[in-house]
Structure formats: structure tokens, C-alpha cells
């Protein structure tokens, strides 16, 4: 005769759950690694790594552009999202905003020297992506087939 049946977990009725304490060793410190540095780097990468910022930086690599010119060139971006992207890039020192006293006022956006420093790394990343896109697509197809997504 079988022993007493364990109570099933409410979210997984077929899985019997037995609470227990598991000792997890603390992670080893990485020499010269500071959590604050990681957060700072993550903050920078989240700004320059989002899809809209990349497109704006690439478009401004050719020189200053007006807001509506950028909006026309970037398909699918809303006015609000472009405004937020440009403000974020300006706040981080990658873009300058120049207002000309005309009627209506003209506003130009231009990469700063710091922003121009991103052009080569972004081009290198784009070239890497283009060189590996078929390999990535094959990996995605294989993953989706193995995980019931195809």
C-alpha cells in the first residue's frame, strides 16, 4: 500500500510540493567590481541601446536634422517617443538642441562629440549583426521548434 499522498501545489495540481530550506552560497566577489559601476553602465547602455536611440544617432551621424525630418525618416515612431528619445540623448550629452528664432521656430538636433563617439561602435555592432543574421535566424527557428512556438 502506498504512503500518504502529498498535497498538490495550488498552481500546479500534479506537482507535490514539499517546502524545505536550501542553503545557497553567497556569490564570490569579482575583483575590482562594484555594483554601483554596473548600475551606471546599465543606465548608459539602456539609453544608447534602445532601438529609437540607435536610429536617431545613426541619422544624426550625417549632420544636424530637424525634428520633423527625423520623424519622417524613422518609420513608426510617435511624436512623443521621438521627443522622449531626443530629450534622453540630450540629457546624457549625446545630442544638442538648437532653437533658431524664426517664425515658426526652427529646432535642430545634432550629435555632440560624445555622441559622435558612438558612431563607430554602432556601425561595428550593425556589421556584426548583418554578418550573423542567418545564424541567429537558424537558432531562433530551432529554439521555437523545440519549444512549441513554430
Amino acid at each position: 500500500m502506498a504512503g500518504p499522498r502529498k498535497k498538490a501545489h495550488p498552481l500546479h495540481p500534479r506537482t507535490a510540493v514539499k517546502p524545505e530550506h536550501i542553503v545557497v552560497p553567497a556569490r564570490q566577489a569579482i575583483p575590482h567590481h562594484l555594483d554601483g559601476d554596473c548600475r551606471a553602465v546599465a543606465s548608459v547602455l539602456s539609453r544608447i541601446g534602445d532601438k529609437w536611440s540607435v536610429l536617431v544617432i545613426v541619422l544624426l551621424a550625417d549632420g544636424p536634422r530637424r525634428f520633423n525630418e527625423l520623424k519622417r525618416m524613422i518609420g513608426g515612431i510617435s511624436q512623443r517617443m521621438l521627443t522622449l528619445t531626443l530629450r534622453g540623448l540630450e540629457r546624457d550629452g549625446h545630442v544638442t538642441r538648437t532653437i533658431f528664432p524664426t517664425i515658426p521656430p526652427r529646432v535642430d538636433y545634432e550629435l555632440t562629440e560624445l555622441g559622435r563617439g558612438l558612431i563607430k561602435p554602432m556601425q561595428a555592432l550593425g556589421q556584426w549583426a548583418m554578418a550573423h543574421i542567418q545564424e541567429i535566424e537558424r537558432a531562433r527557428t530551432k529554439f521555437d521548434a523545440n519549444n512549441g512556438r513554430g
Side-chain angles (χ1 to χ4, degrees), residues 27 30 32-44:
R27 66 183 175 128
I30 300 170
H32 308 294
H33 178 266
L34 302 172
D35 283 341
D37 290 345
C38 282
R39 282 190 290 277
V41 169
S43 169
V44 170

PDB file of all heavy atoms in Angstrom, residues 27 30 32-44:
ATOM      1  N   ARG A  27      27.604  34.639  -3.573  1.00  0.00           N
ATOM      2  CA  ARG A  27      28.457  34.713  -4.759  1.00  0.00           C
ATOM      3  C   ARG A  27      29.816  35.300  -4.380  1.00  0.00           C
ATOM      4  O   ARG A  27      29.929  36.117  -3.471  1.00  0.00           O
ATOM      5  CB  ARG A  27      27.798  35.538  -5.851  1.00  0.00           C
ATOM      6  CG  ARG A  27      27.640  36.982  -5.502  1.00  0.00           C
ATOM      7  CD  ARG A  27      26.903  37.709  -6.622  1.00  0.00           C
ATOM      8  NE  ARG A  27      26.662  39.067  -6.180  1.00  0.00           N
ATOM      9  CZ  ARG A  27      26.976  40.136  -6.866  1.00  0.00           C
ATOM     10  NH1 ARG A  27      27.495  40.018  -8.053  1.00  0.00           N
ATOM     11  NH2 ARG A  27      26.738  41.327  -6.398  1.00  0.00           N
ATOM     12  N   ILE A  30      33.817  39.697  -7.428  1.00  0.00           N
ATOM     13  CA  ILE A  30      34.709  39.814  -8.578  1.00  0.00           C
ATOM     14  C   ILE A  30      35.663  40.949  -8.264  1.00  0.00           C
ATOM     15  O   ILE A  30      35.236  42.049  -7.892  1.00  0.00           O
ATOM     16  CB  ILE A  30      33.912  40.122  -9.861  1.00  0.00           C
ATOM     17  CG1 ILE A  30      32.913  38.992 -10.132  1.00  0.00           C
ATOM     18  CG2 ILE A  30      34.835  40.342 -11.049  1.00  0.00           C
ATOM     19  CD1 ILE A  30      31.925  39.312 -11.218  1.00  0.00           C
ATOM     20  N   HIS A  32      37.726  44.181  -8.277  1.00  0.00           N
ATOM     21  CA  HIS A  32      37.533  45.483  -8.921  1.00  0.00           C
ATOM     22  C   HIS A  32      36.131  45.643  -9.500  1.00  0.00           C
ATOM     23  O   HIS A  32      35.929  46.371 -10.452  1.00  0.00           O
ATOM     24  CB  HIS A  32      38.576  45.734 -10.023  1.00  0.00           C
ATOM     25  CG  HIS A  32      39.974  45.527  -9.560  1.00  0.00           C
ATOM     26  ND1 HIS A  32      40.566  46.331  -8.621  1.00  0.00           N
ATOM     27  CD2 HIS A  32      40.889  44.594  -9.877  1.00  0.00           C
ATOM     28  CE1 HIS A  32      41.793  45.908  -8.388  1.00  0.00           C
ATOM     29  NE2 HIS A  32      42.021  44.852  -9.136  1.00  0.00           N
ATOM     30  N   HIS A  33      35.177  44.923  -8.955  1.00  0.00           N
ATOM     31  CA  HIS A  33      33.794  45.002  -9.433  1.00  0.00           C
ATOM     32  C   HIS A  33      32.944  45.683  -8.372  1.00  0.00           C
ATOM     33  O   HIS A  33      32.874  45.233  -7.242  1.00  0.00           O
ATOM     34  CB  HIS A  33      33.266  43.594  -9.711  1.00  0.00           C
ATOM     35  CG  HIS A  33      31.844  43.581 -10.166  1.00  0.00           C
ATOM     36  ND1 HIS A  33      30.801  43.411  -9.309  1.00  0.00           N
ATOM     37  CD2 HIS A  33      31.298  43.754 -11.396  1.00  0.00           C
ATOM     38  CE1 HIS A  33      29.668  43.447  -9.972  1.00  0.00           C
ATOM     39  NE2 HIS A  33      29.947  43.657 -11.231  1.00  0.00           N
ATOM     40  N   LEU A  34      32.286  46.755  -8.757  1.00  0.00           N
ATOM     41  CA  LEU A  34      31.417  47.478  -7.839  1.00  0.00           C
ATOM     42  C   LEU A  34      30.010  47.494  -8.403  1.00  0.00           C
ATOM     43  O   LEU A  34      29.805  47.806  -9.578  1.00  0.00           O
ATOM     44  CB  LEU A  34      31.919  48.908  -7.639  1.00  0.00           C
ATOM     45  CG  LEU A  34      33.344  49.047  -7.100  1.00  0.00           C
ATOM     46  CD1 LEU A  34      33.771  50.508  -7.141  1.00  0.00           C
ATOM     47  CD2 LEU A  34      33.427  48.515  -5.686  1.00  0.00           C
ATOM     48  N   ASP A  35      29.036  47.159  -7.564  1.00  0.00           N
ATOM     49  CA  ASP A  35      27.642  47.143  -8.027  1.00  0.00           C
ATOM     50  C   ASP A  35      27.220  48.497  -8.577  1.00  0.00           C
ATOM     51  O   ASP A  35      26.476  48.581  -9.547  1.00  0.00           O
ATOM     52  CB  ASP A  35      26.708  46.722  -6.894  1.00  0.00           C
ATOM     53  CG  ASP A  35      26.755  45.227  -6.647  1.00  0.00           C
ATOM     54  OD1 ASP A  35      27.200  44.492  -7.546  1.00  0.00           O
ATOM     55  OD2 ASP A  35      26.335  44.795  -5.559  1.00  0.00           O
ATOM     56  N   GLY A  36      27.704  49.575  -7.963  1.00  0.00           N
ATOM     57  CA  GLY A  36      27.361  50.912  -8.446  1.00  0.00           C
ATOM     58  C   GLY A  36      27.845  51.138  -9.863  1.00  0.00           C
ATOM     59  O   GLY A  36      27.172  51.788 -10.664  1.00  0.00           O
ATOM     60  N   ASP A  37      29.018  50.590 -10.187  1.00  0.00           N
ATOM     61  CA  ASP A  37      29.543  50.717 -11.549  1.00  0.00           C
ATOM     62  C   ASP A  37      28.635  49.995 -12.540  1.00  0.00           C
ATOM     63  O   ASP A  37      28.375  50.494 -13.631  1.00  0.00           O
ATOM     64  CB  ASP A  37      30.956  50.140 -11.649  1.00  0.00           C
ATOM     65  CG  ASP A  37      31.990  50.984 -10.915  1.00  0.00           C
ATOM     66  OD1 ASP A  37      31.680  52.141 -10.569  1.00  0.00           O
ATOM     67  OD2 ASP A  37      33.103  50.469 -10.681  1.00  0.00           O
ATOM     68  N   CYS A  38      28.164  48.807 -12.160  1.00  0.00           N
ATOM     69  CA  CYS A  38      27.277  48.047 -13.050  1.00  0.00           C
ATOM     70  C   CYS A  38      25.985  48.808 -13.305  1.00  0.00           C
ATOM     71  O   CYS A  38      25.496  48.845 -14.425  1.00  0.00           O
ATOM     72  CB  CYS A  38      26.950  46.683 -12.450  1.00  0.00           C
ATOM     73  SG  CYS A  38      28.278  45.501 -12.648  1.00  0.00           S
ATOM     74  N   ARG A  39      25.430  49.409 -12.258  1.00  0.00           N
ATOM     75  CA  ARG A  39      24.191  50.163 -12.432  1.00  0.00           C
ATOM     76  C   ARG A  39      24.425  51.368 -13.338  1.00  0.00           C
ATOM     77  O   ARG A  39      23.583  51.699 -14.167  1.00  0.00           O
ATOM     78  CB  ARG A  39      23.626  50.592 -11.077  1.00  0.00           C
ATOM     79  CG  ARG A  39      22.915  49.452 -10.358  1.00  0.00           C
ATOM     80  CD  ARG A  39      22.156  49.941  -9.147  1.00  0.00           C
ATOM     81  NE  ARG A  39      23.016  50.357  -8.064  1.00  0.00           N
ATOM     82  CZ  ARG A  39      23.569  49.543  -7.173  1.00  0.00           C
ATOM     83  NH1 ARG A  39      23.342  48.259  -7.250  1.00  0.00           N
ATOM     84  NH2 ARG A  39      24.335  50.008  -6.220  1.00  0.00           N
ATOM     85  N   ALA A  40      25.569  52.026 -13.182  1.00  0.00           N
ATOM     86  CA  ALA A  40      25.876  53.186 -14.024  1.00  0.00           C
ATOM     87  C   ALA A  40      26.033  52.767 -15.483  1.00  0.00           C
ATOM     88  O   ALA A  40      25.498  53.412 -16.385  1.00  0.00           O
ATOM     89  CB  ALA A  40      27.143  53.880 -13.526  1.00  0.00           C
ATOM     90  N   VAL A  41      26.737  51.687 -15.715  1.00  0.00           N
ATOM     91  CA  VAL A  41      26.932  51.199 -17.084  1.00  0.00           C
ATOM     92  C   VAL A  41      25.596  50.748 -17.670  1.00  0.00           C
ATOM     93  O   VAL A  41      25.282  51.040 -18.825  1.00  0.00           O
ATOM     94  CB  VAL A  41      27.975  50.057 -17.129  1.00  0.00           C
ATOM     95  CG1 VAL A  41      27.982  49.358 -18.486  1.00  0.00           C
ATOM     96  CG2 VAL A  41      29.361  50.600 -16.815  1.00  0.00           C
ATOM     97  N   ALA A  42      24.789  50.056 -16.879  1.00  0.00           N
ATOM     98  CA  ALA A  42      23.478  49.613 -17.352  1.00  0.00           C
ATOM     99  C   ALA A  42      22.612  50.806 -17.743  1.00  0.00           C
ATOM    100  O   ALA A  42      21.883  50.758 -18.739  1.00  0.00           O
ATOM    101  CB  ALA A  42      22.781  48.774 -16.281  1.00  0.00           C
ATOM    102  N   SER A  43      22.708  51.878 -16.974  1.00  0.00           N
ATOM    103  CA  SER A  43      21.941  53.086 -17.279  1.00  0.00           C
ATOM    104  C   SER A  43      22.357  53.675 -18.627  1.00  0.00           C
ATOM    105  O   SER A  43      21.521  54.056 -19.437  1.00  0.00           O
ATOM    106  CB  SER A  43      22.149  54.109 -16.163  1.00  0.00           C
ATOM    107  OG  SER A  43      21.645  55.358 -16.526  1.00  0.00           O
ATOM    108  N   VAL A  44      23.650  53.736 -18.866  1.00  0.00           N
ATOM    109  CA  VAL A  44      24.161  54.266 -20.136  1.00  0.00           C
ATOM    110  C   VAL A  44      23.751  53.354 -21.292  1.00  0.00           C
ATOM    111  O   VAL A  44      23.259  53.825 -22.324  1.00  0.00           O
ATOM    112  CB  VAL A  44      25.702  54.423 -20.096  1.00  0.00           C
ATOM    113  CG1 VAL A  44      26.256  54.741 -21.477  1.00  0.00           C
ATOM    114  CG2 VAL A  44      26.102  55.501 -19.097  1.00  0.00           C
TER     115      VAL A  44
END
